[in-house]
Amino acid sequence: MAKQIVGNLRKSSSLIVLARDQIKARHPIDFKALMFKRPPQATFMPNCAVFRGGVLDAQADETPLWRKHFENMGVSRKQLSLLTQGKAKKSNIFTKEDPESLERELSLRIAAIRETFEELGVIFCQNRETLAKGAGEGYGNFKEDFDRQHWQMLVHNDATQFLKLCETLEIIPDLWNLYEWSNWLTPATLKKRFDTVFFVIAIQKMPHLIKEKHEVTDFSWNTPSDFLRQHFEKEIWLPPPQFYELSRLLNFSELEKVKNFAQTRAMEGLDAIFPVERKCKDGRVSLFQGDDLYENPDLPELVSISKTAKEYREGIQNLHRIEFYDSNKMAMQVNVDVPNGHICPVNTNPEDMN
């Protein structure tokens, strides 16, 4: 299976699925996020709680054969241009290396939807009827009435079968309701590195999920605040991008507002978030663009600082960082505007880190 690698960064995409909570009365927030736990034998981030997604597969996700399927399904060039054109700034991950391959705005979305189907058995898609209706209200569609376990196994074993699945069911991956949310680069201090686009999709109800036993230990629907609480209480562990994005979602209590914000913000494009790691006396710090001490993101060595994390931020005017005191004790420190029309994460660490 061919994987798309540029330098030592593997191109990948991840999908933040947000679904309307049918029992809103139990909680002031009317939506829940979907996360799953990676198995202990995973080669990257074992046992952690993550959004679903995976590495871009050139043969499965970027093949020009998708263009023929789009044409057969009546998808117009104008409909595709809504995703591939515009004046918004694009990070480097959207630059394709092969001129014949599918545009990255399309292939990365296909990869996110394919990986979600492989891992959790839900396929976000459009059929001829929904395609004819146009954009609609911006909520995602999914299909459940087919032999999902059979196709899930086929696609898991051979990613190119995902196109065959779409041709057989006469559906198109629901590209238009996946909104570009963020782009994360793994720090240069780690050996296994990824360049990952995070998309957001909002759906009106929770689908029935079928976990893939080799890639998924467990999954759960929960509010962003509850996932963060579980992290702080050591029930789960969140990698930094998941911690950051869940903290960002704390700004919203209604799914409609998240969806509307994601639609509008996507027009601003994306800059890649490239953390810089520093080792302090009592932990470590991840610095992000906009922080006054952010520098040398390509430096592969972990720089040690002879200060505590708190001392390392004393006297610093512009802060944009995560402080790590142990695996589950993390704190956001942000007082700057983040780029691309985005919204800042909220610090919810139960302990006073100031």
Side-chain angles (χ1 to χ4, degrees), residues 3-21:
K3 298 297 184 182
Q4 193 73 31
I5 305 175
V6 177
N8 63 341
L9 286 171
R10 307 181 79 189
K11 304 295 183 183
S12 62
S13 56
S14 190
L15 187 54
I16 302 173
V17 181
L18 306 177
R20 191 172 302 283
D21 188 355

Side-chain angles (χ1 to χ4, degrees), residues 77 81 137 179 201 207 227 265 321:
R77 292 183 180 180
S81 70
E137 298 179 350
Y179 306 114
I201 187 170
F227 278 129
R265 197 231 59 80
R321 58 182 68 182

Side-chain angles (χ1 to χ4, degrees), residues 22-300:
Q22 303 301 317
I23 317 176
K24 179 183 175 182
R26 295 185 182 179
H27 203 284
I29 299 173
D30 77 353
F31 69 92
K32 289 185 176 180
L34 174 61
M35 301 194 79
F36 76 88
K37 186 177 180 181
R38 293 176 60 82
Q41 67 272 20
T43 58
F44 186 75
M45 297 292 181
N47 293 314
C48 64
V50 296
F51 304 117
R52 68 263 356 107
V55 175
L56 184 71
D57 188 302
Q59 293 180 358
D61 307 320
E62 293 196 307
T63 173
L65 293 175
W66 278 106
R67 294 194 184 101
K68 184 65 175 177
H69 181 52
F70 295 152
E71 182 181 343
N72 291 339
M73 287 291 295
V75 178
S76 68
R77 292 183 180 180
K78 182 178 180 181
Q79 284 175 301
L80 292 176
S81 70
L82 295 174
L83 301 172
T84 61
Q85 296 180 5
K87 297 180 180 180
K89 180 177 181 179
K90 295 288 185 179
S91 51
N92 290 336
I93 193 172
F94 291 101
T95 303
K96 62 180 182 178
E97 288 78 32
D98 182 354
E100 298 300 318
S101 65
L102 204 64
E103 290 78 4
R104 281 280 173 78
E105 291 86 352
L106 308 180
S107 62
L108 286 165
R109 284 172 165 85
I110 291 172
I113 294 171
R114 173 184 56 76
E115 287 281 353
T116 302
F117 178 68
E118 285 186 34
E119 294 161 348
L120 294 170
V122 58
I123 184 166
F124 296 106
C125 60
Q126 302 259 7
N127 56 30
R128 294 182 190 276
E129 181 181 354
T130 57
L131 283 168
K133 291 180 180 178
E137 298 179 350
Y139 287 96
N141 300 281
F142 58 87
K143 184 177 178 62
E144 297 179 306
D145 57 343
F146 65 101
D147 191 347
R148 290 192 287 156
Q149 287 183 308
H150 169 73
W151 280 103
Q152 184 183 30
M153 181 180 66
L154 289 179
V155 175
H156 178 265
N157 294 334
D158 179 3
T160 63
Q161 288 293 311
F162 188 63
L163 174 55
K164 181 66 175 178
L165 166 62
C166 292
E167 292 172 337
T168 302
L169 298 181
E170 295 189 336
I171 57 174
I172 289 285
D174 192 4
L175 310 178
W176 297 269
N177 291 315
L178 266 66
Y179 306 114
E180 295 171 13
W181 184 258
S182 59
N183 179 196
W184 284 79
L185 302 183
T186 308
T189 50
L190 297 182
K191 291 183 178 179
K192 195 167 185 177
R193 302 183 60 217
F194 297 86
D195 183 356
T196 306
V197 172
F198 285 76
F199 297 97
V200 164
I201 187 170
I203 52 178
Q204 295 279 22
K205 64 178 182 178
M206 298 175 187
H208 176 262
L209 302 178
I210 304 171
K211 69 177 182 180
E212 203 292 312
K213 61 182 179 180
H214 297 99
E215 297 191 44
V216 180
T217 300
D218 199 5
F219 64 82
S220 61
W221 294 95
N222 227 325
T223 62
S225 59
D226 279 341
F227 278 129
L228 289 163
R229 176 191 56 77
Q230 290 173 355
H231 171 84
F232 290 128
E233 294 178 359
K234 300 187 177 182
E235 296 174 15
I236 62 173
W237 183 73
L238 298 169
Q242 278 73 14
F243 180 82
Y244 190 105
E245 298 303 352
L246 286 169
S247 299
R248 183 140 55 188
L249 288 168
L250 293 175
N251 290 282
F252 304 95
S253 60
E254 298 177 20
L255 184 63
E256 179 75 11
K257 291 184 178 180
V258 184
K259 185 260 296 178
N260 290 342
F261 174 80
Q263 284 179 305
T264 303
R265 197 231 59 80
M267 300 177 186
E268 301 289 331
L270 290 175
D271 286 297
I273 301 171
F274 194 176
V276 170
E277 300 281 283
R278 295 287 184 264
K279 183 179 180 181
C280 294
K281 291 167 63 176
D282 59 346
R284 62 187 178 89
V285 175
S286 277
L287 304 170
F288 305 107
Q289 293 96 318
D291 193 290
D292 284 345
L293 297 182
Y294 182 87
E295 62 178 353
N296 300 328
D298 292 311
L299 188 67

